Amino acid sequence: MTRRLHPASLFTTSPGLRPGIGLALGGGFARGYAHLGVLCVLEEHHIPISCISGSSMGSILAAAYASGTPLPSVIAKCREIRLRDFARWRVSRFGLASNKRLGALVHRFFDSNQFEDLSIPTAIVATDLGSGDPVVFKQGSLADAIRASCAFPGLFEPVMIGTRCLADGGLVAPVPTRAARELGAEVVVGVCVGLHDGHRGAPTNIFQVVSRAVSAAQKHQLEAWERHANLVLRPDVQSIAWDDFERIDDAIEAGAAAARSALPQLRRLLFQQQDAHSELGRQGELLLVEALQ
């Protein structure tokens, strides 16, 4: 799906936001490694990223990339990660595990610990379980925001930040395209890897029950998040299970293949952006000349 630039978007760019695309990375646990393949192709073909947003697994990779850590180093670190690195099993009334270890992982692996230290404007989305509304983090602690955005219901306990009880951002923003748009992006590219495990039979464990329920609910949210995107990439990762972290290479290749096939649309959108800015510049010069006469 490709959408032309809306004329109004030309007047809403945040001051200082560099030209390029706003990249929105959705959730999907191990499938989220497909985002790394997308980033590799964007870097290889010099497609600039003006800002980045993430939900759930997408929040980890968005922040890692925005921290300025070289992409090969991010990928190398991801190869080392297993579920035990961010989950501590302890059955409670609120979930099967705590994700406090994820905070320690952020401090250990990232080159930045605060939003203010990131090299690219970044937004991370979580869900307020009290109101059902999205909570968009753009400043403060990265570890707290990522823990909240990755607190998948039923599996991880919710995360308390202030008076808010927060859970996985994918519940309200499966792909956080609106957050990227609100950062000021003129061209928003969403990357959707989905939650459904691809099997048609009955679920065989509690995670499949919850993830399929969330996936079913998200089918009705497609229009909501897609309307904020100029382009949506859908890597073919249906064969990768939520906890198949060992299949990182398969996920990366799926993301890279989706990005490569979308290069013509990406270049066209960036050309439209550049052309529109040139036209605005010419109109501004004419108005200035008229005002001075």
Side-chain angles (χ1 to χ4, degrees), residues 158-198:
V159 174
M160 293 296 301
I161 298 181
T163 60
R164 286 172 163 168
C165 183
L166 304 177
D168 198 288
L171 299 174
V172 290
V175 182
T177 51
R178 180 173 180 175
R181 185 72 72 189
E182 290 177 347
L183 282 172
E186 296 173 3
V187 177
V188 174
V189 177
V191 186
C192 178
V193 296
L195 267 177
H196 199 282
D197 52 32

Side-chain angles (χ1 to χ4, degrees), residues 188-212:
V188 174
V189 177
V191 186
C192 178
V193 296
L195 267 177
H196 199 282
D197 52 32
H199 298 294
R200 293 287 183 181
T204 58
N205 56 59
I206 187 172
F207 181 80
Q208 287 187 358
V209 171
V210 177
S211 65
R212 290 188 189 184

Side-chain angles (χ1 to χ4, degrees), residues 36-37 40 70-80 248-249 252:
L36 295 171
C40 284
L71 193 51
S73 296
V74 173
I75 293 173
K77 290 173 180 177
C78 286
R79 292 188 192 283
E80 304 171 10
I248 181 172
D249 291 325
I252 290 174

Side-chain angles (χ1 to χ4, degrees), residues 33 75 79 240 245-255:
Y33 283 149
I75 293 173
R79 292 188 192 283
I240 299 176
F245 293 98
E246 295 87 353
R247 293 187 62 189
I248 181 172
D249 291 325
D250 294 332
I252 290 174
E253 179 49 40

